[in-house]
Amino acid sequence: VALSDQGLICCWNEGNSWMQRSGTWPLGSCQEGVPLQREAIGELLADLLFDCDVIGAQIVLCLPLAAARWCVLEGIPPGQIQALTDPRLLLSDSSWSEGLQDCYLAFDSCGGLVVATSVPRTLLQGWLEVVELADLPLRRVDWCLTAAHRALLHLAEDWIGNLAWFILDGTDGRLVLIRDGVADLDFSLPSPTPASTTAWIRERVNAWRQQMQSMEPLGWWLSVTAEEQMDWLALVDSD
């Protein structure tokens, strides 16, 4: 179940095919990843799964885009994380240091480096309450950006080069620049439009490539709706 401020998308395997259904929350139910109208959200989730006849399925919950933060920890071997008594010390010098005690932290290995993800406790507990209100068995909690990143690397495994990944989620956008499979830079883009944002994005991408002095080809991945694809193709250089 992938969650957003606007609604949810449920995906499940049926036979040899993947099925998908979506739903929309009542207006104002979820803001910046926080479930505000938990009973209404839980009821919609339960009704949608009931209508899809997937009663009893275990739920993998993908938190909304605005729900978490992530960063790459360079110089830390993945095997050392488990041995640390308090992994929060690894982020003590970062912009995350304030409020870390009120967050859940997850550490994953990616491209030989460690990726840290931080989720506010109150936000996560809110979504856990939604699942409890829906009376559904929860198997695992994920974040939609890290889940999509894993999927992107799988789908683009034959691509030799770096990736510029543009994401449009409702009225908010994101530009993630990926080097050797690892997210190198992540920019938030409030209310982007092709006219207002294309030049800004291309400047950042060109500066990033110049700094790396990389001769590797650059691939683009656009996570936008089918109706928006043509509008955003101007991001892509002809070469």
Side-chain angles (χ1 to χ4, degrees):
V1 178
L3 306 164
S4 72
D5 282 1
Q6 295 77 38
L8 76 165
I9 300 174
C10 299
C11 302
W12 69 97
N13 189 264
E14 192 171 287
N16 295 321
S17 302
W18 278 95
M19 313 297 289
Q20 177 176 301
R21 284 282 301 276
S22 62
T24 303
W25 311 131
L27 190 64
S29 296
C30 180
Q31 293 181 6
E32 297 183 355
V34 180
L36 301 178
Q37 299 181 26
R38 297 175 187 177
E39 289 189 10
I41 292 175
E43 184 177 340
L44 189 148
L45 176 59
D47 289 347
L48 187 63
L49 293 181
F50 181 81
D51 291 342
C52 296
D53 196 25
V54 287
I55 302 169
Q58 294 186 349
I59 304 300
V60 176
L61 203 66
C62 282
L63 298 176
L65 196 62
R69 300 178 296 182
W70 63 348
C71 72
V72 176
L73 303 178
E74 295 182 330
I76 307 292
Q80 286 187 6
I81 297 293
Q82 301 297 329
L84 294 176
T85 304
D86 186 4
R88 287 175 172 79
L89 295 177
L90 296 173
L91 296 166
S92 60
D93 295 331
S94 72
S95 59
W96 292 16
S97 56
E98 185 177 347
L100 271 181
Q101 295 302 321
D102 297 322
C103 294
Y104 288 106
L105 283 179
F107 296 94
D108 298 293
S109 177
C110 181
L113 299 175
V114 175
V115 177
T117 306
S118 166
V119 180
R121 290 180 185 275
T122 53
L123 186 149
L124 180 56
Q125 289 166 355
W127 285 110
L128 295 180
E129 183 180 334
V130 166
V131 176
E132 186 176 348
L133 289 168
D135 195 23
L136 297 169
L138 181 64
R139 179 178 180 181
R140 182 167 56 89
V141 176
D142 207 339
W143 182 35
C144 68
L145 190 59
T146 50
H149 181 233
R150 289 194 300 269
L152 173 56
L153 296 183
H154 174 70
L155 293 169
E157 61 184 355
D158 293 332
W159 171 251
I160 305 300
N162 297 315
L163 279 169
W165 181 21
F166 176 70
I167 304 161
L168 199 57
D169 177 51
T171 58
D172 294 323
R174 220 157 171 150
L175 174 67
V176 181
L177 303 179
I178 299 172
R179 174 172 52 173
D180 298 329
V182 180
D184 201 27
L185 291 172
D186 179 13
F187 298 98
S188 293
L189 306 169
S191 303
T193 65
S196 66
T197 315
T198 297
W200 187 93
I201 289 177
R202 292 185 64 169
E203 284 179 6
R204 298 310 183 275
V205 171
N206 289 335
W208 175 62
R209 299 188 75 195
Q210 290 169 9
Q211 185 179 32
M212 288 189 299
Q213 298 181 344
S214 173
M215 300 302 294
E216 291 187 356
L218 177 71
W220 283 85
W221 194 280
L222 306 181
S223 292
V224 300
T225 65
E227 294 78 15
E228 294 164 324
Q229 286 179 8
M230 292 302 297
D231 295 335
W232 288 102
L233 281 178
L235 286 174
V236 183
D237 289 317
S238 59
D239 59 351

